[in-house]
Amino acid sequence: MPAKLRLLLRTAALGLICALGAGCVEPGASRGDAQPQMAGDAERSLRNGDYDRAGQAFLDLADTNRDLRDHYRLRAAESYREEGNLNAAAGALEGVQMRHLAREEQARLDLLQAEIAISHHDNARAVTLLTIPDADLPRPLRLRALELRARAQTAAGDALAGARTRALLDLMLEGKDRAQNESLIVNTLSQLDANTLRQQLASMLPNDALRPFVEKALSSGGLAAPAANPNRQVGTLGEPNAPNGEGLRQARVIALLLPVNGQVRGVAQAIRDGFFAALFADAHMPRPEIRVYDSGNNDVDAVAAYQRAVSEGADHVVGPLRREAVSAVFAQASLSAPVLALNQPEHGEAAPAGSAAFGLVPDAEGAQVAQRMSERGITRAVIIVATTDWAERAATAFRTQFESQHGTIVGIARLRDNDVNFSKNIQQAIGAMPATADTGVFISMLPQQARLLVPQLRLVNQAERVFATSHVFSGVLNAGMDHDLDGVEFCDAPWLFDAVLGLPHHGDIAATLDTARGAGARLFAFGLDAYALVPYLAWLGQHHDSYLPGATGQLTIDINGRVQRSLAWARFQDGVAQPVAGGLQMSAVPVH
């Protein structure tokens, strides 16, 4: 347990214990305590942090006052506990009888004995002692009880129970203490294997307090929450009173929450252009009214923008863009209008009912590359990635997914930005491993690095089975330079290859809008999909077997309110990125 959280729980418990102890001095005198001055001095020593002196003073009192012996020995043990001397605390508790203690003291005795048992690795006894009802305990003791219970359960091998207990504790903490506890929840869940986490997630209700932490544990291990296997396209079946097909519920007024200024201004512009391009291409009449609101660059401004939009009549809200802003909007007591957030929430929490979180995350790409390689019969893989956060996330996701399918990672290398000779990196990752049909290379890097790496992989006969995330493709035709990437297969947004019917033609849009060109085209496609998702938000949130064929991939919404994407596949041939046969299975977008 982090020192700060331990200090919080110790300080809170000490404050209550001192108060209870001080309250016992006067009643003690009325019960025949002949040494009220000594008791008062002992309590002051405890409050002043002179724990050893306080402990000895309480023991002396216990020896001279038979009626309050157990009370004073408990106070002595609590003093030694504050000093961190649990062995001395255990000695002080020898002979203490539960029946001689007041109700609050009995709870404190159980907590202290449980803490001593944990220190002696007797976790089973600790778990038994900590089965005491804690709902009626004063807040400081309840904090301590939950924290000790979580420690004991985890140490006893029940990581899931320990994490669930910490989730209860989390509701009572604030600020940095809460953040530290949440980190412990994820670390505890990370002790479980990915399959166990997936099974737990599948069995959890949407409002389960532990759900976001299970998701985060999967994500930190490189796996997104498992999505249902979609098999039914939205809008393809008739439904009474739904002339455009089942699932469609057209919005009347959509508020688009994006930052006008700041570091992500360019990102917001591309998304906004895609959103409006989808609006202008929408054949369904009447089209919704779109109102753009500045979500600012912090969570307070984003919440204010949401509330203003709703007060002005918005029935659907798209945005905000920043992760902390998404968390803040989701955390409101109630959402008058459903939200399609344009990023995942900062702490991995599930979206409120009727809302969803949509993001272009590298984790999903890494996991899908691993799936693709496994389907190709590749059981051994080398990982070579750039030294960036998104590349590391993609690599972690790839590794976790690949190993979960019984694949083996045989080597890892990271490429620095300014290097051009990667022979040492390749040697580090591949060594003398022969190129066989069951081996492959996973890369996640920008085109500039990939164009240098792949020819060097060819020199050691390791370029036949190279798979990449979308970052390897610049998004524009550059056959002369991309010729070095021939044979590399990668996942990407199908709109870049005009693989989805019913959407504006990529080439036509790119010819007129800068934001639809190059790497920005993916953000533009993201905007297209944000608009397309709004009328199907409720349906997809309730029918996890349904999907929307979108510009960024085949879109579903999982049980946690996260939009999941199944990407398209392409391969470089003669310097041109071309769709792989069977890799672009996108149907027509429903006509609104």
Side-chain angles (χ1 to χ4, degrees):
M1 175 175 62
K4 289 184 178 179
L5 182 56
R6 185 185 298 114
L7 180 61
L8 167 77
L9 298 174
R10 175 173 292 180
T11 303
L14 177 60
L16 178 71
I17 292 168
C18 286
L20 292 172
C24 290
V25 174
E26 294 303 325
S30 67
R31 288 184 292 171
D33 184 359
Q35 299 164 315
Q37 184 62 44
M38 290 179 60
D41 289 343
E43 293 292 347
R44 280 190 290 274
S45 295
L46 178 58
R47 287 195 296 270
N48 293 334
D50 193 348
Y51 303 127
D52 186 68
R53 181 177 180 178
Q56 187 58 53
F58 282 126
L59 288 177
D60 291 342
L61 283 164
D63 290 340
T64 58
N65 192 321
R66 183 175 181 178
D67 291 339
L68 294 178
R69 174 185 178 279
D70 293 316
H71 162 75
Y72 284 130
R73 293 195 74 87
L74 175 61
R75 300 298 287 136
E78 289 173 334
S79 300
Y80 290 130
R81 182 251 180 193
E82 294 305 321
E83 190 177 34
N85 189 347
L86 289 178
N87 287 331
L93 290 178
E94 289 182 3
V96 171
Q97 298 295 313
M98 181 77 74
R99 66 178 184 275
H100 295 155
L101 298 174
R103 182 178 178 184
E104 295 85 354
E105 292 177 322
Q106 292 176 1
R108 284 155 46 198
L109 175 63
D110 280 337
L111 293 179
L112 187 49
Q113 288 181 325
E115 190 167 358
I116 293 169
I118 292 173
S119 71
H120 293 161
H121 307 290
D122 190 354
N123 299 302
R125 181 169 186 264
V127 170
T128 300
L129 287 166
L130 291 165
T131 56
I132 57 174
D134 57 57
D136 296 330
L137 290 178
R139 183 177 184 277
L141 288 186
R142 191 178 185 203
L143 287 172
R144 187 173 161 206
L146 290 171
E147 197 280 327
L148 287 172
R149 188 180 301 156
R151 286 169 55 188
Q153 290 167 330
T154 303
D158 194 347
L160 185 64
R164 187 167 290 284
T165 299
R166 284 202 178 277
L168 293 175
L169 174 62
D170 203 58
L171 299 175
M172 303 178 66
L173 299 175
E174 296 179 353
K176 293 182 179 179
D177 301 305
R178 186 174 188 178
Q180 290 175 347
N181 184 62
E182 289 176 349
S183 178
L184 285 172
I185 297 174
V186 176
N187 290 340
T188 301
L189 289 170
S190 296
Q191 299 176 22
L192 303 172
D193 62 81
N195 287 333
T196 300
L197 288 174
R198 287 195 194 95
Q199 291 171 2
Q200 290 297 327
L201 192 60
S203 65
M204 288 178 174
L205 296 174
N207 61 346
D208 194 313
L210 194 60
R211 173 179 295 282
F213 300 106
V214 175
E215 283 188 339
K216 196 165 186 179
L218 282 167
S219 179
S220 64
L223 290 179
N229 183 26
N231 54 30
R232 186 166 128 190
Q233 181 181 331
V234 296
T236 55
L237 296 179
E239 184 184 45
N241 302 318
N244 297 283
E246 106 280 50
L248 185 138
R249 293 293 183 270
Q250 190 75 354
R252 184 180 59 84
V253 178
I254 301 175
L256 181 59
L257 274 54
L258 290 171
V260 173
N261 299 300
Q263 294 180 341
V264 295
R265 179 181 179 183
V267 172
Q269 180 65 53
I271 296 171
R272 182 165 53 246
D273 288 353
F275 196 86
F276 276 97
L279 170 70
F280 299 145
D282 190 352
H284 182 269
M285 296 296 173
R287 295 170 180 163
E289 178 185 351
I290 309 299
R291 300 173 184 170
V292 180
Y293 293 82
D294 182 5
S295 62
N297 292 291
N298 58 63
D299 53 352
V300 175
D301 288 346
V303 171
Y306 173 86
Q307 293 174 345
R308 179 187 169 195
V310 172
S311 70
E312 294 179 351
D315 52 60
H316 287 76
V317 174
V318 175
L321 182 57
R322 292 179 175 274
R323 295 186 66 186
E324 68 275 11
V326 173
S327 290
V329 170
F330 279 177
Q332 294 178 95
S334 62
L335 294 179
S336 303
V339 175
L340 175 63
L342 297 176
N343 209 331
Q344 300 297 339
E346 185 177 25
H347 302 296
E349 54 267 38
S355 296
F358 186 23
L360 305 181
V361 294
D363 314 64
E365 294 192 22
Q368 289 187 52
V369 174
Q371 181 68 32
R372 181 77 168 180
M373 291 175 69
S374 296
E375 291 171 352
R376 294 291 192 86
I378 295 173
T379 58
R380 298 191 303 164
V382 172
I383 297 174
I384 304 178
V385 296
T387 52
T388 63
D389 175 68
W390 51 262
E392 288 290 349
R393 288 177 59 187
T396 301
F398 172 84
R399 178 168 194 160
T400 305
Q401 183 70 25
F402 193 73
E403 290 180 337
S404 74
Q405 296 178 289
H406 309 294
T408 301
I409 304 300
V410 296
I412 301 175
R414 293 170 177 83
L415 310 183
R416 294 181 299 183
D417 287 344
N418 298 325
D419 288 352
V420 295
N421 185 341
F422 301 133
S423 57
K424 290 184 179 179
N425 305 90
I426 294 172
Q427 176 64 29
Q428 170 192 340
I430 297 177
M433 181 183 73
T436 60
D438 65 343
T439 63
V441 179
F442 166 70
I443 66 174
S444 186
M445 61 193 65
L446 296 176
Q448 298 90 321
Q449 274 189 321
R451 291 166 186 152
L452 292 170
L453 173 66
V454 175
Q456 295 178 54
L457 288 174
R458 288 196 183 95
L459 294 177
V460 292
N461 297 317
Q462 294 290 347
E464 291 299 317
R465 296 172 182 83
V466 179
F467 296 80
T469 57
S470 65
H471 308 88
V472 76
F473 180 39
S474 66
V476 298
L477 178 63
N478 196 339
M481 299 187 70
D482 286 341
H483 185 78
D484 288 331
L485 297 176
D486 278 359
V488 175
E489 191 169 325
F490 63 96
C491 56
D492 212 331
W495 184 64
L496 273 61
F497 310 100
D498 289 317
V500 186
L501 299 177
L503 288 179
H505 192 275
H506 175 223
D508 294 342
I509 296 289
T512 57
L513 289 175
D514 291 341
T515 51
R517 301 179 191 137
R522 299 182 182 94
L523 294 170
F524 193 96
F526 185 50
L528 290 172
D529 280 352
Y531 179 86
L533 279 166
V534 170
Y536 292 103
L537 195 59
W539 179 266
L540 289 170
Q542 297 171 2
H543 298 81
H544 306 301
D545 60 342
S546 295
Y547 68 90
L548 172 73
T552 62
Q554 186 170 280
L555 309 177
T556 59
I557 298 180
D558 64 23
I559 57 176
N560 308 302
R562 290 188 174 185
V563 179
Q564 303 285 350
R565 298 187 303 140
S566 294
L567 299 166
W569 288 91
R571 182 188 297 114
F572 287 101
Q573 183 176 342
D574 296 327
V576 179
Q578 301 183 5
V580 174
L584 297 172
Q585 300 176 349
M586 301 291 122
S587 304
V589 171
V591 178
H592 295 172

